[in-house]
Every structure is written in C-alpha cells, then in structure tokens.
Amino acid sequence: MFSNSSKYAIKAVLFLAVNSSESHRIMVKDLAAPINVPQAYLAKLLQELSRGGIISSKKGPKGGFFLSKENVQYTLMDIVNVIDGNDKFNSCLLSLEKCNADKPCPLHDLASPSRSKFIQSLNQNTIDEFSIQIEQGKVFLPL
Amino acid sequence: MFSNSSKYAIKAVLFLAVNSSESHRIMVKDLAAPINVPQAYLAKLLQELSRGGIISSKKGPKGGFFLSKENVQYTLMDIVNVIDGNDKFNSCLLSLEKCNADKPCPLHDLASPSRSKFIQSLNQNTIDEFSIQIEQGKVFLPL
DNA sequence: ATTAAAATATGACAAAAGTCATATTTAAGA
DNA sequence: TCTTAAATATGACTTTTGTCATATTTTAAT
Ligand code: FES
Ligand code: FES
C-alpha cells in the first residue's frame, strides 16, 4: 500500500506534530529511536521532506526538525507525494493508461468506491487533525 | 497496491478465464501479446501459478495453459498470495506488529472500513464471476 | 521411434528500493 | 573567532523486484 519510505516519513511527521514545536526542535537521533526507524535512513527522508516544504528544520547547535503552523496544514497525501512521487493512487489497479470509469477494468468497480473514500481521507485530514486525535488518546503512534 | 507481478498474473488469469478452456489451451506467446506483458516474464509467472494450483497446463505440442472447473473458483486474493506471498493485506498500514483495533494507529480508522471492504471483495469474488462480468461487457480487460 | 512443439527449471542480469557512511555547510555559544 | 553541534549533500552498498535467456522435460503427431 505505502512504500516503506512513506511509512517512515508518515510516522516521523506525526511524531513531530505531537512532540515538537517552533521552539522545541527534535534531532534525528531523538526521532529515530521512538518511531523505530534506522537513523541514517530517516535522516535522508527528513531531508527530502524538508526540501519539499512539508517539515521545517534548523541547522547547527540547538537545531533540529519541527513543524511550523504552515507545515501542520499538509496532508498525508502530501507526504507520500514528496517521498514516492505523485500518481501513486490515481492510476488503474491493473495499470491501464488511466483509471477510467467509462471503460473500467475488472477491478475498478470492486475497488473504486472504497478506494476513492480512502484516497479522499488521505487528501482531507491534515497533520494537525491527526495530532489532535493522538493527543486525545483516540489513536496511537506505533513504535 | 499490487505488485507488478500480481497485476500481470491477474490479467493473465482473467484472460484465460474468458478465452481458454480445457479443450482450448493457450500458449504463453499468444497470451503475452494481448495482455501486454513481456513474454519471458509472463512464462515465469504462469509457472508459479501452475505450481500453486491456480491455473492448469499441458506440456508438449497442442499444449498450453487453461483454467479447469476448479481453477475458476479461486479468488484474486489466491493469485496474489501465490505471487507475492501471504499477508500482503493484513498488516498495519504503518507496520505495527499487527493491525489492532484496540490500539489503532492513526491510519487505522481512516483506512479500516474501506480497506476491509476492499479486501473482502478480493477474497469473495471468484475468477468465474469476473469472467461473467467481462463477457457481459460490464468491465473490460486492459491490454 | 523420431521429430517438433510446448511447458518447466534454472540462473544471469538490470533496475528500483532500502540502508549505511562520510564529508560539507550552517549556526550557537564560549 | 573558534569550537562544536546540528542538518545537508553525496554516494557506495545491499536487497528485492522485475526482466531476459537457455537448457531440459514432456507429449502429440508422423
Ligand atoms: S480502470 Fe482499473 S481501477 Fe479504474
Ligand atoms: S493498526 Fe495500523 S492499520 Fe490497523
């Protein structure tokens, strides 16, 4: 469903959403451990996210990663778009040129309703909304 | 969502369902072209499917691949299980040990209803049912 | 029996995804 | 200004996935 890299990136961003702020930055090494991701690999992913504008960073001593007010308005889809490239979810399940309701492949009707609902949620819910859910103890961050 | 291999395998099986029979077998080369899959690669996949009991084959002249009455009762999930291994769909989206409704990850509620419906369809609809849909012109086989 | 046509088995090779290491740049604090 | 702590850039390496080629086995037809 998601690539490994995307999973890592999502976990990292959600952790930052809950645990960091403009004034309290988090270093890779302090992020890698709790979300259970290889540190060196995570560093690379964080850099991509940073370049993509999804997260913020500050170099040097007392530096680290954090989410700004703007960062927190992005969606999960934004994250996977940066990490895995776009069109991970808009293409036909059987790799037709374009997923097309007029000439649907055998999986289209099977998948389309549930799938579009899923994709919609990826596009709708902001990081901010997720972090609220986490803080309310409704959902949990995996280690 | 699906691996490339699984997509190829699904397309091949559906094509066989519609175009082959016990008495009218189809050779790899005549299968690879219409479903637009590299022939040598497809041959390997068909062999896996055959070993897995999902499709039938006959060696030698006038040989080829086809679906028996039993073959046609399998599901799409059976195909991807053979090709990609099991547990492609039962694991947590963020790679928690086990997808667990009691201690759900942030994606669980977002995804769970639509996802389980999707998985259910993969497990329910038989190849036979798909081929009927295709023959009725309700859905189409991609090239 | 011999031949030829098909699947099967095996393995080499290529491309992509995932992982790790290291040198460079930036900035805080003494 | 110097030192040190952090992100950043770059690239080597490994594993998995996808691709291709070729030799072997089976079987129908002559
Ligand atoms: S046409 Fe294949 S998923 Fe829509
Ligand atoms: S706990 Fe992660 S998808 Fe269910």
Side-chain angles (χ1 to χ4, degrees):
Chain A
M1 194 73 126
F2 294 110
S3 71
N4 240 329
S5 295
S6 282
K7 287 180 188 174
Y8 291 169
I10 289 171
K11 291 208 275 180
V13 171
L14 292 179
F15 186 90
L16 285 176
V18 174
N19 297 104
S20 82
S21 71
E22 199 99 27
S23 57
H24 180 249
R25 298 162 199 138
I26 298 189
M27 297 183 293
V28 214
K29 68 172 181 215
D30 295 328
L31 179 49
I35 67 175
N36 201 29
V37 172
Q39 174 173 336
Y41 192 24
L42 180 60
K44 202 169 225 180
L45 293 174
L46 290 173
Q47 285 159 29
E48 282 185 64
L49 291 172
S50 174
R51 242 182 287 123
I54 306 288
I55 69 177
S56 305
S57 68
K58 193 101 199 288
K59 276 184 175 182
K62 292 286 167 188
F65 294 94
F66 63 98
L67 298 192
S68 69
K69 297 281 167 289
E70 295 82 44
N71 292 150
V72 101
Q73 290 307 119
Y74 283 103
T75 67
L76 294 188
M77 186 63 93
D78 293 322
I79 297 177
V80 338
N81 280 344
V82 164
I83 298 298
D84 287 343
N86 305 356
D87 306 329
K88 246 279 182 163
F89 288 100
N90 296 329
S91 50
C92 167
L93 286 170
L94 292 183
S95 291
L96 219 79
E97 318 291 308
K98 244 318 176 203
C99 176
N100 175 2
D102 290 339
K103 197 163 181 295
C105 79
L107 287 194
H108 184 96
D109 288 327
L110 177 79
S112 204
S114 44
R115 196 164 72 120
S116 57
K117 192 161 295 176
F118 177 65
I119 292 170
Q120 195 180 329
S121 337
L122 288 185
N123 272 310
Q124 246 166 19
N125 298 101
T126 65
I127 302 299
D128 202 31
E129 287 162 356
F130 278 108
S131 82
I132 290 172
Q133 284 199 7
I134 295 170
E135 276 154 7
Q136 289 177 343
K138 288 182 179 164
V139 296
F140 304 85
L141 269 195
L143 74 159
Chain B
M1 194 73 126
F2 294 110
S3 71
N4 239 330
S5 295
S6 282
K7 287 179 188 174
Y8 290 169
I10 290 172
K11 291 208 276 182
V13 171
L14 291 179
F15 186 90
L16 285 176
V18 174
N19 297 103
S20 81
S21 70
E22 199 99 26
S23 57
H24 180 249
R25 299 163 199 139
I26 298 188
M27 298 183 292
V28 213
K29 67 171 181 214
D30 294 329
L31 178 50
I35 67 175
N36 201 30
V37 171
Q39 174 172 338
Y41 192 26
L42 180 60
K44 201 170 228 179
L45 293 174
L46 289 173
Q47 284 158 31
E48 284 184 62
L49 290 172
S50 174
R51 242 181 286 123
I54 306 288
I55 68 177
S56 304
S57 67
K58 192 101 199 285
K59 276 183 173 182
K62 292 287 168 185
F65 294 94
F66 63 98
L67 300 191
S68 69
K69 297 283 168 288
E70 295 82 44
N71 293 151
V72 100
Q73 290 308 119
Y74 283 104
T75 67
L76 294 188
M77 186 62 93
D78 292 322
I79 296 177
V80 337
N81 281 344
V82 164
I83 298 297
D84 287 342
N86 305 356
D87 306 328
K88 247 279 181 162
F89 287 101
N90 296 329
S91 50
C92 166
L93 285 170
L94 292 184
S95 292
L96 218 80
E97 318 291 308
K98 243 322 178 198
C99 175
N100 175 4
D102 291 339
K103 197 164 181 295
C105 80
L107 286 194
H108 184 96
D109 287 328
L110 177 79
S112 203
S114 45
R115 198 165 69 119
S116 58
K117 192 161 296 179
F118 177 64
I119 294 170
Q120 194 179 332
S121 340
L122 288 185
N123 273 310
Q124 245 167 20
N125 298 100
T126 65
I127 301 300
D128 202 30
E129 286 161 358
F130 279 108
S131 83
I132 290 172
Q133 284 200 5
I134 296 170
E135 276 155 7
Q136 289 177 343
K138 289 182 179 165
V139 297
F140 303 85
L141 268 194
L143 74 160

